[in-house]
Amino acid sequence: MAELERAILPQRQNIRQKIFVLYGLGGIDKTQLAVEFTWRHRCRFSSVFWLDGSSEVSLKLSIARCASSIPAGQISDMSRTYSMSSAGNIDEVVREVIGWLAQPDNTEWLVVFDNVDREYSSQTAEPLAYDVREYFSGADHGSVLITTRLAQLEQLAVRSRSTRWIELRRRKSWRASLEKSLVVESGCLLSLLDGLPLAIAQAGAYLQQSGVSLVTYLTFYEQHWEELMQTRDQVDTPLQDYPNRSIWTTWTISFNMIREQDKETSNLLLLWSFLDSKDLWFEMFTAACSASGEAAAEISRWIEDLANSRLKFTQSMELLRSYSLVESVENEMGYATHPVVHRWARYCYSQDYRDKLACLTLVVVGWAVPDNSTQDYSVLQRRLLPHARHIPRTNNLP
């Protein structure tokens, strides 16, 4: 919060435009942090516009609704009343509002673009994607805050920040809400959820509504994860801080967009869900392919050239990183994904798919085991061991 305050609060000695991008994994609390900031500092800005950036249509409608808060006489009456009557051209309303933001004597506003999560390019086939820059004022003043899963949008910002750092705040909140629970069990659940705020909120809602003990919830989470998550989707009362969202649905849009762009990358994410979440690296696949022609054929059927081309593997990881689904592992030349995303990906497809992927992980890890004369043998063994330990659990999925 302090960094956000330093970055975009109005400053009399510096009226140049300030843009801050909050990006990160879906469910990490980007919107909640933006809401908290906006509410706490709303009086510091001359006006605050909160825009739904989930699609271009919703963005235009949000801008049109904001037009009604602009003082009379500063834009046309038609634009100010559009949200009530829908009379007129919404594109003209949008142009007037953006023009109002660009006025040289109007410099201390805040515009929040929330949930700009669909990747746009001039070649994109995604109908809901758009170029958010087209809705900037074009003036060098005011403050802009963007929440997104798209890491590449940080290029728009003077300052940007991945929101993984806010997990500690939610961990404290969670522990406070479980004061009457056993510390060991609450610690186990926190470890499983790895501080992901959406997962914590969903677990808390289930515990409150069902009345089950924390020990029972842990059992459900480990042994009946798919049914537990789908049950959360079917209840009538949404999560208070996450309307219309759950663990089961929150990453589906990103996954589907990745699959449309590169099927092999989405397949790699699914295969990874049957390995350990903390360290995936390119040479594990090349080692398996080099050791066995049959293994190479099986792996290539699923992820094609990603197993043999470092460039394509790196590009695949960059695509996953662009949606904040993975991150680099320092000093290991590998990648990690969040434990809850990891478990979610495991249940994306049918049981038949899961059985095939569980078998394929045995092939990958088994053939990647190095000969004891291999250079860095002990290091490779250490890195492979968590994957080997993970396989027996995944082969016993409910």
Side-chain angles (χ1 to χ4, degrees):
M1 180 64 73
E3 185 172 350
L4 187 52
E5 291 168 343
R6 287 192 297 271
I8 63 173
L9 282 176
Q11 300 171 8
R12 294 191 180 279
Q13 68 276 20
N14 178 17
I15 65 168
R16 299 195 66 179
Q17 188 172 76
K18 306 163 188 68
I19 303 175
F20 195 98
V21 177
L22 282 172
Y23 68 92
L25 180 68
I28 204 69
D29 253 15
K30 301 178 294 293
T31 295
Q32 281 65 37
L33 181 59
V35 168
E36 184 177 334
F37 170 84
T38 302
W39 177 255
R40 183 182 297 182
H41 298 292
R42 63 193 184 282
C43 295
R44 298 281 301 274
F45 297 96
S46 57
S47 56
V48 176
F49 290 174
W50 187 280
L51 308 179
D52 178 359
S54 58
S55 71
E56 190 164 26
V57 171
S58 62
L59 181 66
K60 288 181 178 181
L61 289 172
S62 295
I63 294 173
R65 283 193 292 270
C66 291
S68 62
S69 65
I70 296 176
Q74 297 189 18
I75 61 173
S76 68
D77 289 340
M78 183 206 71
S79 292
R80 290 188 69 249
T81 59
Y82 179 88
S83 61
M84 294 180 286
S85 64
S86 297
N89 185 332
I90 192 170
D91 291 326
E92 181 59 33
V93 178
V94 170
R95 279 192 293 271
E96 281 205 59
V97 173
I98 293 175
W100 180 79
L101 293 172
Q103 292 177 5
D105 58 346
N106 181 21
T107 62
E108 295 191 343
W109 44 260
L110 169 66
V111 175
V112 181
F113 293 87
D114 186 39
N115 291 327
V116 185
D117 294 330
R118 298 179 185 274
E119 185 176 13
Y120 171 83
S121 71
S122 57
Q123 294 81 35
T124 185
E126 170 55 57
L128 299 180
Y130 61 95
D131 186 352
V132 69
R133 294 172 298 180
E134 294 182 0
Y135 296 90
F136 287 2
S137 70
D140 192 15
H141 59 243
S143 298
V144 176
L145 175 59
I146 301 171
T147 72
T148 180
R149 302 178 192 180
L150 305 176
Q152 64 265 34
L153 288 189
E154 68 173 320
Q155 299 172 28
L156 302 177
V158 176
R159 301 286 296 279
S160 63
R161 178 70 185 230
S162 172
T163 53
R164 189 169 175 80
W165 64 281
I166 65 176
E167 292 176 0
L168 291 176
R169 177 169 60 87
R170 282 289 179 162
R171 286 175 186 261
K172 292 177 182 177
S173 174
W174 172 256
R175 288 194 182 278
S177 68
L178 292 178
E179 286 178 352
K180 296 181 180 179
S181 300
L182 297 176
V183 174
V184 173
E185 282 73 14
S186 62
C188 289
L189 186 54
L190 280 172
S191 178
L192 282 173
L193 304 182
D194 196 25
L196 185 68
L198 174 59
I200 291 172
Q202 189 162 331
Y206 188 91
L207 288 168
Q208 183 178 28
Q209 293 173 17
S210 67
V212 302
S213 68
L214 194 53
V215 174
T216 301
Y217 186 85
L218 282 168
T219 302
F220 288 167
Y221 191 92
E222 289 282 16
Q223 299 180 11
H224 305 284
W225 192 90
E226 184 175 15
E227 295 93 328
L228 184 65
M229 295 304 109
Q230 289 180 328
T231 298
R232 178 66 249 172
D233 271 354
Q234 294 168 4
V235 298
D236 294 330
T237 53
L239 299 175
Q240 183 175 355
D241 291 338
Y242 303 91
N244 304 317
R245 295 175 61 194
S246 70
I247 289 173
W248 190 254
T249 61
T250 194
W251 299 300
T252 301
I253 291 175
S254 296
F255 179 81
N256 288 341
M257 292 186 70
I258 289 168
R259 195 160 185 82
E260 288 177 8
Q261 293 178 63
D262 192 272
K263 182 179 178 181
E264 288 68 44
T265 297
S266 65
N267 283 346
L268 178 61
L269 183 63
L270 298 179
L271 176 60
W272 190 356
S273 70
F274 287 81
L275 296 164
D276 186 69
S277 65
K278 297 181 181 64
D279 183 20
L280 190 77
W281 71 101
F282 170 68
E283 288 79 7
M284 180 168 66
F285 294 100
T286 57
C289 291
S290 299
S292 166
E294 185 177 347
E298 288 188 45
I299 295 168
S300 295
R301 274 196 293 271
W302 187 250
I303 59 173
E304 296 192 3
D305 294 338
L306 299 185
N308 295 296
S309 169
R310 181 183 295 276
L311 174 61
K312 291 185 177 180
F313 182 86
T314 302
Q315 290 172 337
S316 179
M317 288 295 107
E318 286 305 308
L319 178 56
L320 293 173
R321 286 184 66 184
S322 73
Y323 286 90
S324 301
L325 291 175
V326 308
E327 57 187 26
S328 298
V329 178
E330 294 182 9
N331 304 321
E332 293 285 5
M333 295 295 291
Y335 300 89
T337 186
H338 194 282
V340 183
V341 175
H342 187 247
R343 189 177 289 262
W344 167 83
R346 189 186 306 169
Y347 290 93
C348 275
Y349 283 85
S350 66
Q351 183 66 51
D352 289 342
Y353 262 85
R354 296 202 288 268
D355 291 342
K356 291 176 182 177
L357 288 171
C359 291
L360 186 56
T361 56
L362 285 169
V363 172
V364 172
V365 176
W367 285 107
V369 173
D371 184 86
N372 57 16
S373 62
T374 302
Q375 185 179 6
D376 296 328
Y377 169 79
S378 60
V379 174
L380 292 172
Q381 286 284 72
R382 173 182 59 78
R383 295 183 74 181
L384 280 170
L385 187 58
H387 296 294
R389 286 174 173 167
H390 197 77
I391 292 171
R393 293 203 304 274
T394 57
N395 281 336
N396 292 318
L397 281 171

